[in-house]
Amino acid sequence: MSTAILTGPPVAGSSLESDLRSLGFDVRVADDATAVGAHLAATAAGERLALVDPRFVGHTHALRLALKDPRFAAGALPGVLGLTPEARAALAPRLAGDPDEAARALEAAGVEVHRPELGVLVADVPANETARREREQAVAAVDDEQVRLRSAVKSRDGFFTTFCISPYSRYVARWCARRGLTPNQVTTASLVTALIAAACAATGERWGFVAAGVLLIASFVLDAADGQLARYDLQYSTLGAWLDATFDRAKEYSYYAGLALGATRGGGDDGVWALALGAMLLMTARHTVDFSFNEASHDDSANSSPTAVLSQRLDSAGWTVWVRRMIVLPIGERWALIAVLTAATTPRVTFVVLLIAGAFAACYTTAGRLLRSVRRRARTDRAAEGVRALTDSGPLAELAARLLRPVALPGLGVPALALLGGAVILATAWATPLGSYWPVVAAAFYALCSGVALARPLKGPLDWLLPPIFRIAEYGTILVLAARSGADGALPAAFGLVAALAYHHYDTVYRIRGGTGAPPHWLVRAVGGHEGRTLVVAAVAALWLGGGHPEGFIFALTALAVVIAVLVLVESIRFWVSSQAPAVHDETGEPA
């Protein structure tokens, strides 16, 4: 139970006490400043505390925003101060009788005091009875429940989500809140629904494809509702942030696997596994472009490039905003496209259209980021470290970087060298005889290029391209070698391996985004780094495919996938349930 202390006798006719109780506070009334201190001393140190001026007039939701948001140590409104147990330690007891003065003192002491944006909501301490009546009339004129529902929806989201999902998913969120459901439970329900959709698609039957499309949309409605429930009821949590971030990828890639399995069972079309793996490669690489560019631009206060100026002008025109958000194929548009195509066509058609649309979106977003970057000044040390962590480079690249540190590269030499190494390994895996050792040599060259590219801090204007280049090179090598093997089971095994790697790379992104840094160095070394894994896959392909034993190649891919999945999942779960994990929720509306 949280405790709210009224710093004086309540005003006759005021609903303040009942409002606070509706928010879960045990209300105590102090007759004077001395009594406030006594109530404060009697309150358990581990409780959340609210100090409230009894003259306060305002909406219940305004109080909720200041007093119940778990993301902030302290929250304040006029005449209201909410404190977590950690922030209470900085509160001087002599100031507890005046919430406004106490809030200013906390800020002076270095405690961040959250002051929520209220919009049309009212929160005030009237100076006299006339002003009080005016503020009460202002409260009555605004339905704070409707404000609460509107604020549950992201202010910036995709076209499909904004106009086709959120108008009713917000009511799903409210229904869940009134029945005591948590965002984590809704997130889990969304995952289960998506997995059932994948199972339906895996039947290979037309009814299964139709059911899969319907269930995928239902899963997305729940996916929107979980975040809206978190905002509606202020139920933010570290575990919820992790589940929300990782389950989206788990749902989408599980559905890809279901479609590929359905194609295999329904018509014997094994090649759809290659398309599914290609779609996963494309989406992961495209997201890596977004993440890496944003991390490299983290400390930039402004971008005055012509591209940035044009983008700002386009965002000022209403219809262009929605067109641009649809072009980048965010998760809402992408899942709607997949669902409709699944129900109406075949898995092969679904993946081909998805690949074409995804490639166009990737080219559009990457071109814009390139044009924004070419004239940028050198990156900061923090941005350079973030991009380096996203490369996921292992011991081979680190060794090459130490040995070749004196090698000087021109301004664009770093991404050019990484691109050369990636192109060599992909071309060699594609063009040389199956089972030859040339891909092993190419993989060693790729590791060498990776090390040289990392020999200097990644502060160049286009150095943020390294992580997506490395993702394409590693995933692409696995895809090409598995596809060329022609062995039954090779592509599903490769899909499982890339799925494990994708989880590791997304987990790295979410940790960095939360401000806690990359995964521990031992984990990156234990899973080999992108260059080490590429070399291992090339070596096992040469060893077993060259000897005519494709079952050995399949076993090696499967074993590698299992080992990596176990290592990264155990460490990821350990981190995200620890006290150091950030409660970071995506409120940006950036494409996912």
Side-chain angles (χ1 to χ4, degrees):
M1 174 70 75
S2 303
T3 298
I5 301 174
L6 294 185
T7 59
V11 176
S14 172
S15 64
L16 181 57
E17 289 184 74
S18 62
D19 290 342
L20 290 169
R21 289 193 179 96
S22 72
L23 296 177
F25 286 91
D26 177 26
V27 180
R28 302 179 184 180
V29 179
D31 295 329
D32 51 34
T34 303
V36 171
H39 283 301
L40 184 62
T43 303
E47 289 187 8
R48 194 176 185 97
L49 177 69
L51 299 174
V52 184
D53 190 314
R55 299 169 296 167
F56 176 85
V57 175
H59 287 97
T60 305
H61 189 50
L63 289 170
R64 180 183 291 105
L65 292 173
L67 301 179
K68 299 287 288 183
D69 196 326
R71 297 173 297 174
F72 305 103
L77 297 171
V80 176
L81 176 63
L83 299 167
T84 61
E86 294 77 17
R88 284 179 60 180
L91 177 66
R94 63 179 179 81
L95 299 175
D98 187 337
D100 293 332
E101 184 180 358
R104 290 190 293 268
L106 286 175
E107 289 177 318
V111 177
E112 181 182 359
V113 178
H114 173 59
R115 299 179 185 274
E117 295 183 9
L118 299 180
V120 297
L121 296 177
V122 176
D124 197 9
V125 178
N128 52 55
E129 189 60 30
T130 301
R132 182 176 186 83
R133 285 196 296 270
E134 291 177 352
R135 303 313 289 155
E136 288 174 344
Q137 291 173 359
V139 169
V142 175
D143 185 346
D144 71 339
E145 176 60 21
Q146 289 302 315
V147 174
R148 187 181 176 192
L149 270 175
R150 289 196 300 270
S151 63
V153 179
K154 284 182 182 179
S155 59
R156 185 177 187 271
D157 220 329
F159 180 89
F160 180 77
T161 305
T162 299
F163 294 104
C164 300
I165 301 296
S166 291
Y168 57 89
S169 63
R170 70 183 75 180
Y171 295 101
V172 174
R174 183 172 68 178
W175 183 90
C176 293
R178 291 178 174 177
R179 281 151 185 81
L181 298 177
T182 67
N184 293 350
Q185 291 171 330
V186 179
T187 302
T188 303
S190 175
L191 174 66
V192 171
T193 304
L195 293 178
I196 296 173
C200 290
T203 63
E205 303 289 340
R206 175 50 50 192
W207 70 264
F209 291 143
V210 173
V214 173
L215 287 170
L216 189 63
I217 293 298
S219 174
F220 186 66
V221 172
L222 293 173
D223 182 64
D226 65 357
Q228 290 165 357
L229 174 58
R231 286 182 287 273
Y232 178 84
D233 223 23
L234 299 184
Q235 294 190 55
Y236 298 103
S237 69
T238 297
L239 179 62
W242 175 59
L243 293 178
D244 185 58
T246 56
F247 279 11
D248 278 349
R249 302 286 77 77
K251 289 180 286 189
E252 186 167 4
Y253 296 158
S254 296
Y255 192 82
Y256 289 176
L259 277 177
L261 186 59
T264 303
R265 297 181 62 178
D269 193 353
D270 294 340
V272 174
W273 275 108
L275 296 176
L277 184 48
M280 184 159 58
L281 185 159
L282 176 62
M283 293 306 164
T284 305
R286 178 210 158 180
H287 286 148
T288 305
V289 168
D290 297 334
F291 298 143
S292 185
F293 174 80
N294 291 337
E295 187 61 28
S297 307
H298 184 274
D299 298 320
D300 286 350
S301 58
N303 189 329
S304 58
S305 68
T307 304
V309 173
L310 176 61
S311 179
Q312 293 170 359
R313 289 179 178 175
L314 290 175
D315 280 343
S316 64
W319 66 272
T320 62
V321 173
W322 297 115
V323 170
R324 296 174 70 208
R325 291 186 191 179
M326 294 174 67
I327 287 175
V328 300
L329 201 65
I331 188 169
E333 277 74 0
R334 193 163 69 249
W335 282 27
L337 177 68
I338 295 171
V340 171
L341 290 174
T342 299
T345 63
T346 65
R348 175 173 286 275
V349 171
T350 300
F351 280 121
V352 169
V353 175
L354 178 62
L355 285 166
I356 293 173
F360 179 80
C363 291
Y364 172 80
T365 55
T366 304
R369 283 156 172 69
L370 287 171
L371 292 173
R372 288 170 181 256
S373 298
V374 289
R375 295 185 181 181
R376 279 213 171 149
R377 56 181 172 81
R379 313 290 181 180
T380 64
D381 290 337
R382 183 202 178 284
E385 283 301 314
V387 173
R388 185 183 182 91
L390 288 174
T391 64
D392 188 36
S393 298
L396 292 179
E398 291 177 348
L399 177 62
R402 286 196 298 270
L403 295 177
L404 301 172
R405 193 173 297 277
V407 175
L409 293 174
L412 300 181
V414 169
L417 189 62
L419 186 62
L420 173 63
V424 167
I425 180 59
L426 287 173
T428 306
W430 179 269
T432 56
L434 186 65
S436 74
Y437 278 88
W438 281 113
V440 179
V441 176
F445 177 74
Y446 168 67
L448 183 65
C449 290
S450 302
V452 176
L454 295 170
R456 291 286 186 275
L458 301 179
K459 295 184 177 183
L462 298 182
D463 287 357
W464 58 268
L465 284 170
L466 262 65
I469 289 173
F470 292 157
R471 293 298 88 77
I472 293 171
E474 181 183 7
Y475 297 3
T477 300
I478 297 170
L479 168 59
V480 169
L481 291 175
R484 290 194 63 203
S485 72
D488 292 339
L491 280 168
F495 187 94
L497 175 56
V498 172
L501 295 175
Y503 177 87
H504 170 53
H505 292 136
Y506 279 108
D507 184 57
T508 301
V509 167
Y510 300 136
R511 294 193 195 209
I512 294 175
R513 179 185 284 177
T516 58
H521 192 58
W522 70 262
L523 178 65
V524 178
R525 295 178 67 88
V527 297
H530 66 93
E531 78 292 347
R533 293 186 297 266
T534 304
L535 183 60
V536 168
V537 171
V540 298
L543 180 63
W544 276 295
L545 295 181
H549 300 288
E551 65 278 1
F553 177 64
I554 297 171
F555 175 81
L557 292 182
T558 304
L560 190 59
V562 171
V563 170
I564 291 174
V566 169
L567 283 172
V568 299
L569 275 173
V570 169
E571 164 54 25
S572 177
I573 293 172
R574 181 210 64 79
F575 170 78
W576 286 102
V577 300
S578 70
S579 59
Q580 293 80 26
V584 177
H585 290 255
D586 178 22
E587 304 298 328
T588 64
E590 291 297 329

